[in-house]
Amino acid sequence: MKVLMFGWEFPPHISGGLGTACYGLTKGLAEFNDVEVIFVVPKAYGDEDQSSMQLIGANDVPITRKTVQFADLQKKIEYYEVESGMIPYVDPEEFWKLSSKKYSEKTRFIETDEEGKLEFSGKYDQNLLHEIYKYSLVAEVIARDNDFDIIHAHDWLAYPAGIAAKEISGKPLVIHVHATDFDRSGGSVNPQVYEIEKRGMDAADQIITVSNLTRKIVIERYGIDPEKVTTVYNAVEPLSQEEKIRLKKGVNEKIVTFLGRITMQKGPEYFIEAANLVLKKMNNVRFVMAGSGDMMNAMVKRAAALKITDRFHFTGFLKGDDVFDMFRMSDVFVMPSVSEPFGIVPLEAMQTNVPVIISNQSGVSEILKYAVKIDYWDTHAMADAIYGLLNYPSMWNMFMKYGKEEVDNLKWKNSAKNVREVYEKAMI
């Protein structure tokens, strides 16, 4: 079974859990001898781990110029691919010359470089919607030039690419919902994003959601038939021997950590309020908010207003080894998400022997037994849980020991097995 998979990011170039989940899933699928994955990202950097799949960067695919072998001439001829209806131009002057001619309504003018390739930043910036559109154009070419049995598109950014690949190939499409705009926006949904999500869900033959929480949103908010929506939980990569070596903190105080995007979805303001309550009861503790996001400045101001900045630290965005270094120095990890489709970060914390406090409003709370669960808005319950874990060693040890055992049993191969079953359902 050959899978053409579209994503937006892949390690080590990631900004959150999406890239981590894609990496884990491709490694899990690689453990099945009959599954082969071609993974497509907008921009490939060349340092990605390709041991479990073939990686294609859309930025490396010429969309208009090809080299082909004509058997009768026995020589290679460069020509323009005309059936796609794409006409390339390199500069504005060339565009105006081309646009003065008559073409069919299906013709699309595409700005390329001299090699016929499109440029991608691969980032989440103000040009995101335009890049999503360009990505879908390249997806047509990739789908036409590769053999595969099924298409798998991760999250809304890749849905248009998945749809384009399905339309050109006729192969079944599976979309993977890692989050919806209802999670990201708190209900103030962006109509453009909603439309892309809805189109992807309607076009899909099968839909994978990362939790039952997300499955419910897909069915109720997008009007999707429950029969084609399956929950497959994420897992976590096992730690290497080097990663298991615990660092020394460098300070004697306890450390409580929030790690994630500092956005409304992640509930950073509730973490700060809980920290303030704990600091009124004990002072041998430091709180760390690791990450970046649009609420960063507001959170710094709130910590200053509460006069806790001598005990509250902001690290900025962390990635790679810095994340695990932060966990190794932590005594408690808190994820107070307002709406979290899944949440891989608590699993990573538990791997490094850190007890976790998570919100009931997270998908991962559906599968974890050995995590303290609170409502995101209940800052007093959050503060009580933090205080209890820091001051009662038997409680800390119980959550640390059994939490580590629990998370070590969450393997990507098991998740991949469930995904493979969804593929088979889509191909019937």
Side-chain angles (χ1 to χ4, degrees), residues 220-322:
E220 293 180 359
R221 300 295 186 95
Y222 295 83
I224 303 301
D225 180 0
E227 287 296 310
K228 76 172 190 178
V229 190
T230 304
T231 294
V232 177
Y233 293 111
N234 288 328
V236 67
E237 275 286 288
L239 294 180
S240 66
Q241 282 303 119
E242 301 86 56
E243 288 170 330
K244 289 177 182 176
I245 300 168
R246 194 172 176 87
L247 286 181
K248 290 184 178 178
K249 282 187 207 173
V251 292
N252 292 324
E253 294 112 327
K254 303 288 186 181
I255 294 179
V256 182
T257 301
F258 167 108
L259 192 150
R261 293 195 313 278
I262 305 177
T263 62
M264 181 275 301
Q265 182 191 351
K266 303 295 182 179
E269 66 269 44
Y270 303 102
F271 180 69
I272 289 181
E273 300 305 324
N276 184 47
L277 291 171
V278 173
L279 287 167
K280 287 178 178 177
K281 296 289 185 182
M282 57 186 293
N283 59 12
N284 64 326
V285 57
R286 291 178 183 271
F287 289 83
V288 176
M289 184 166 281
S292 59
D294 59 10
M295 288 181 67
M296 176 79 149
N297 290 340
M299 295 303 97
V300 172
K301 287 177 181 176
R302 181 57 182 157
L306 292 169
K307 297 183 170 58
I308 60 172
T309 48
D310 59 329
R311 293 273 152 192
F312 201 104
H313 310 276
F314 295 87
T315 69
F317 180 72
L318 300 180
K319 63 180 180 179
D321 292 340
D322 291 338

Side-chain angles (χ1 to χ4, degrees), residues 255-261 266-272 274-275 278 285-290 312 327 330-337 340 345-346 349-350 354-359 362 371-376 378-379 381-387 389-390:
I255 294 179
V256 182
T257 301
F258 167 108
L259 192 150
R261 293 195 313 278
K266 303 295 182 179
E269 66 269 44
Y270 303 102
F271 180 69
I272 289 181
V278 173
V285 57
R286 291 178 183 271
F287 289 83
V288 176
M289 184 166 281
F312 201 104
F327 286 146
S330 300
D331 295 279
V332 175
F333 170 78
V334 183
M335 186 183 77
S337 295
E340 185 73 50
V345 183
M350 292 164 78
V354 181
V356 302
I357 300 167
I358 58 178
S359 69
S362 63
V372 182
K373 301 172 191 178
I374 46 90
D375 290 316
Y376 71 86
D378 195 341
T379 54
M382 196 186 304
D384 285 345
I386 294 168
Y387 185 89
L389 286 168
L390 294 180

Side-chain angles (χ1 to χ4, degrees), residues 208-219:
I208 296 170
T209 56
V210 293
S211 64
N212 288 327
L213 181 76
T214 306
R215 182 176 185 271
K216 189 168 184 281
I217 291 172
V218 167
I219 293 166

Side-chain angles (χ1 to χ4, degrees), residues 25-41:
L25 181 59
T26 55
K27 288 192 78 172
L29 288 168
E31 294 193 45
F32 295 93
N33 294 329
D34 62 342
V35 179
E36 190 179 327
V37 176
I38 301 170
F39 195 95
V40 186
V41 287

Side-chain angles (χ1 to χ4, degrees), residues 125-271:
D125 54 24
Q126 67 271 19
N127 296 317
L128 185 59
L129 288 173
H130 183 56
E131 293 224 333
I132 290 169
Y133 168 68
K134 290 196 297 182
Y135 192 33
S136 69
L137 297 180
V138 181
E140 286 185 24
V141 177
I142 293 170
R144 197 166 55 241
D145 290 352
N146 288 274
D147 293 321
F148 55 91
D149 303 297
I150 194 159
I151 305 153
H152 186 157
H154 289 277
D155 230 28
W156 71 280
L157 303 152
Y159 296 167
I163 293 169
K166 177 180 178 175
E167 288 175 350
I168 206 82
S169 68
K171 296 294 170 67
L173 168 66
V174 173
I175 67 162
H176 206 134
V177 185
H178 295 265
T180 70
D181 208 46
F182 287 95
D183 302 297
R184 291 182 292 266
S185 68
S188 303
V189 175
N190 181 319
Q192 285 180 294
V193 176
Y194 180 88
E195 185 188 355
I196 292 171
E197 291 177 329
K198 174 73 171 146
R199 278 185 59 233
M201 292 175 195
D202 288 340
D205 297 275
Q206 288 291 318
I207 297 171
I208 296 170
T209 56
V210 293
S211 64
N212 288 327
L213 181 76
T214 306
R215 182 176 185 271
K216 189 168 184 281
I217 291 172
V218 167
I219 293 166
E220 293 180 359
R221 300 295 186 95
Y222 295 83
I224 303 301
D225 180 0
E227 287 296 310
K228 76 172 190 178
V229 190
T230 304
T231 294
V232 177
Y233 293 111
N234 288 328
V236 67
E237 275 286 288
L239 294 180
S240 66
Q241 282 303 119
E242 301 86 56
E243 288 170 330
K244 289 177 182 176
I245 300 168
R246 194 172 176 87
L247 286 181
K248 290 184 178 178
K249 282 187 207 173
V251 292
N252 292 324
E253 294 112 327
K254 303 288 186 181
I255 294 179
V256 182
T257 301
F258 167 108
L259 192 150
R261 293 195 313 278
I262 305 177
T263 62
M264 181 275 301
Q265 182 191 351
K266 303 295 182 179
E269 66 269 44
Y270 303 102
F271 180 69

